[in-house]
Amino acid sequence: MFRILRILLSIVAVLVIAIGALIFFLPGEQIARLASDQLKEQFGRDLTIEGDVQLSFFPTLGISTGPVTLSNASWSSNGPMFQAQGAKIGVDAMALIGGNTHIKNITLTAPDILLEQNGAGQANWDDFTGQSAADATAATDEGAEEGAAFTLDQIQITNARIRYLDPNGTNVDIPDLTADFGWGEGAATLAATVVMGGAPIDASIEIGDLNDLIAGDVTQVKLAADVGQNKLSFDGLASTTPEADGQFSAELPNPSELFAALGQADAGLPPTDFKGLVTLTKDSVFSLRGGRITLDGNDLSAEADVNFSGKPNVVASISAGALDLKPYLGGETAGASSSEASAGWPTDPIDASALGLFDGKITLSASSIDLGSLNFGSSRVAIDVDNSRAVATLHQLTGYEGTVTGQFVANNRSGFSVGGDMTMSDLALQGLLSDLIGSDRFTGAANARMAFVGSGSSVDAIMNSLRGDGSLSVGNGTISGLDLDQLFRGRPNSGTTIFDSMSASWTIDAGVLTNNDLLMDLPNVQAKGAGTIGLGAQNLDYTFTPQLKNESDTGFSFPVRVTGPWASPSIRPDLEAVAKQNFQEEIDKLEDKAVEAVADRLGTTADQVENLGQNLEQELQNKLEEEVGNRLKNLLGGN
């Protein structure tokens, strides 16, 4: 806006100087021709004024024109730089007679202003800010020292259009702009209304000294803008370098309107309030001090430094009280229905491009964190981002009477991948499993470690590619609702199983977790477990085997097999395993009798059958085929 204002003022200054005191003596057409000649001489541009140029003497001395057109730079083919349906300029006659230029008002009707740059770095406003313009300004300054003055009270613009064309494709088109600009000898005000991206914008600016601002110096600036339902404000020092230092606030009940007005895609930002002391230096370093942010009910304080001189580098510290992250997690929660859970992992492509937007380090601390299905206490996390790779380090995450530490990595350097190495210490199982899966039957303190890595363009691809390992150990604990010891003594009840320890380890490959050494130790009973859990396919094939203890580990056992999808698994006794594990001796005796019977039936001896070894199955098959063939021949009347 200030660049546009500077250009307009340069043009107006030449027009007014051209008119000067001759306004009393020359007809309108000659004034227009004189102004055009002066503009051509000063800036090398053609000014065309169509229709009659009318003079007015009351209440203000001035001129009014029909359509006005100002030619563009010689290298441009995009039409005039400036055109308007009409223009009016009013001056103070007494000041003009005294050798001073005091413009009372300028009114532009439907101006169309085109600002552009070409691939060679040239701008179409360079003619107005180059040597000729500098000479004109110097002359004006010299006149001011000798008693002459140049002041402007007001510029009114209605139904304006401002366009900016950039060779890199950063084009801006602002239509239907209405502005009212007032300027005394130093202080200036600007009020403007416009509709951008469907959002009405009302903005006002108060400038301590416009001369300093146009010259690139720092001056007091106060800005307020309503963008739809959103409100922005700044109060401090600023320059066009750009530099800024002051209090900034933003009330954003509808951030999507703000993004639309800025021509940006909706970033999904929730209703947000922000205020803090912001600083922007000539070296493109942005700082935030005393920042206060309210985000979806979360109150945060923030300090930040961002260097924009190259790729943005961010160093920030964010602290919060009770932090509610449920709105940002998405996905399934503990209350998800079975039909929802059975739908599998999301296959939508993951957009991880944000990892490449900046480098730096962000630290986050909170008194508590609500993840929806899980809740933690005080926490401290550091996120380091370097060349599209982010490492989140859990320095402290307390909850469920224990702690979690470790790292989580998201890498988008050559395809997207995630990984982690986490350690959990003394987590209370009852609270953890109650929040995680809705079961409070288990008690005990758990220690666990897990490492994993996965890659892919979607959550489904990542879960099916996971590989890693881990382990779990629990000291004394209980399982309510079932007393395994009493059950194996023939007295089933709904009591409580008290165990001395529980341990397990696992490996993960291609999204399948395999565990073969689950062991739960009770005074008289032990429970073993082995099988697989499909982390990618969301299915189970796991056998849990309670067993009476004895010295030879051959006590009676009762395996239970769990198979099928996570959402609706099948749980049933594994009768084949029950028979093999508990009645193997009886089965062996029956097999011996069967061998004798088969040997007798096939015309051989039991010893010969046993010596057949691994060839027995094939020989039995051959004999059976022969026997069946003979019977078929008899059935068909053969020999």
Side-chain angles (χ1 to χ4, degrees), residues 98-290:
N100 299 320
T101 305
H102 181 183
I103 301 176
K104 303 288 290 183
N105 58 71
I106 298 174
T107 302
L108 301 176
T109 304
D112 187 335
I113 302 170
L114 172 62
L115 305 177
E116 60 178 322
Q117 291 180 285
N118 61 18
Q122 295 175 297
N124 67 340
W125 60 82
D126 286 343
D127 291 338
F128 301 99
T129 57
Q131 183 62 41
S132 296
D135 291 343
T137 302
T140 303
D141 291 342
E142 182 180 352
E145 294 176 359
E146 296 174 354
F150 177 89
T151 56
L152 171 64
D153 289 349
Q154 185 181 44
I155 296 179
Q156 292 179 311
I157 299 174
T158 58
N159 194 28
R161 180 189 185 191
I162 299 174
R163 291 172 293 156
Y164 173 73
L165 305 181
D166 183 270
N168 298 319
T170 309
N171 299 331
V172 178
D173 191 341
I174 304 176
D176 302 325
L177 171 67
T178 297
D180 192 331
F181 172 74
W183 184 16
E185 294 185 357
T189 60
L190 173 66
T193 62
V194 68
V195 176
M196 296 180 64
I201 301 176
D202 292 307
S204 63
I205 304 176
E206 299 178 12
I207 303 168
D209 192 320
L210 183 60
N211 294 305
D212 288 344
L213 189 66
I214 292 176
D217 296 329
V218 172
T219 189
Q220 190 73 31
V221 173
K222 186 174 183 179
L223 179 148
D226 294 344
V227 184
Q229 304 174 51
N230 309 289
K231 296 182 180 297
L232 307 173
S233 68
F234 173 82
D235 190 353
L237 300 173
S239 78
T240 56
T241 306
E243 289 179 282
D245 181 34
Q247 289 290 332
F248 176 78
S249 68
E251 299 177 18
L252 309 178
N254 189 356
S256 59
E257 283 187 318
L258 179 63
F259 284 107
L262 296 175
Q264 303 296 317
D266 189 352
L269 185 69
T272 302
D273 286 345
F274 169 87
K275 62 180 179 180
L277 177 64
V278 298
T279 302
L280 179 64
T281 70
K282 293 179 180 180
D283 299 326
S284 300
V285 176
F286 170 85
S287 298
L288 169 65
R289 296 293 181 266

Side-chain angles (χ1 to χ4, degrees), residues 435-446:
D435 285 353
L436 192 60
I437 61 175
S439 173
D440 60 357
R441 294 177 178 267
F442 285 79
T443 67

Side-chain angles (χ1 to χ4, degrees), residues 463-510:
M463 295 303 294
N464 280 282
S465 71
L466 284 178
R467 62 186 186 276
D469 56 28
S471 62
L472 168 72
S473 65
V474 182
N476 296 332
T478 64
I479 306 174
S480 63
L482 175 66
D483 188 337
L484 286 176
D485 186 65
Q486 293 297 318
L487 175 65
F488 274 86
R489 292 176 183 275
R491 298 190 293 270
N493 58 54
S494 58
T496 299
T497 295
I498 301 175
F499 61 86
D500 296 326
S501 65
M502 181 170 60
S503 63
S505 65
W506 61 84
T507 60
I508 306 173
D509 185 49

Side-chain angles (χ1 to χ4, degrees), residues 526-543:
Q526 64 183 4
K528 301 177 180 179
T532 60
I533 301 174
L535 302 177
Q538 296 188 359
N539 57 17
L540 296 161
D541 188 355
Y542 198 85
T543 300

Side-chain angles (χ1 to χ4, degrees), residues 17-100:
I17 292 171
I19 294 170
L22 296 176
I23 197 168
F24 290 104
F25 309 108
L26 296 177
E29 291 77 4
Q30 287 182 269
I31 293 175
R33 192 161 47 250
L34 177 61
S36 178
D37 291 342
Q38 285 288 323
L39 200 65
K40 181 73 171 179
E41 179 181 347
Q42 289 286 342
F43 302 110
R45 299 292 182 89
D46 294 323
L47 176 68
T48 303
I49 301 176
E50 302 178 25
D52 295 335
V53 176
Q54 303 292 330
L55 297 176
S56 64
F57 296 94
F58 184 83
T60 302
L61 177 66
I63 61 172
S64 60
T65 74
V68 179
T69 302
L70 176 66
S71 67
N72 209 335
S74 58
W75 47 263
S76 174
S77 59
N78 294 312
M81 178 181 178
F82 172 88
Q83 53 187 335
Q85 293 180 4
K88 293 181 180 179
I89 300 176
V91 298
D92 186 326
M94 297 306 296
L96 196 61
I97 294 173
N100 299 320

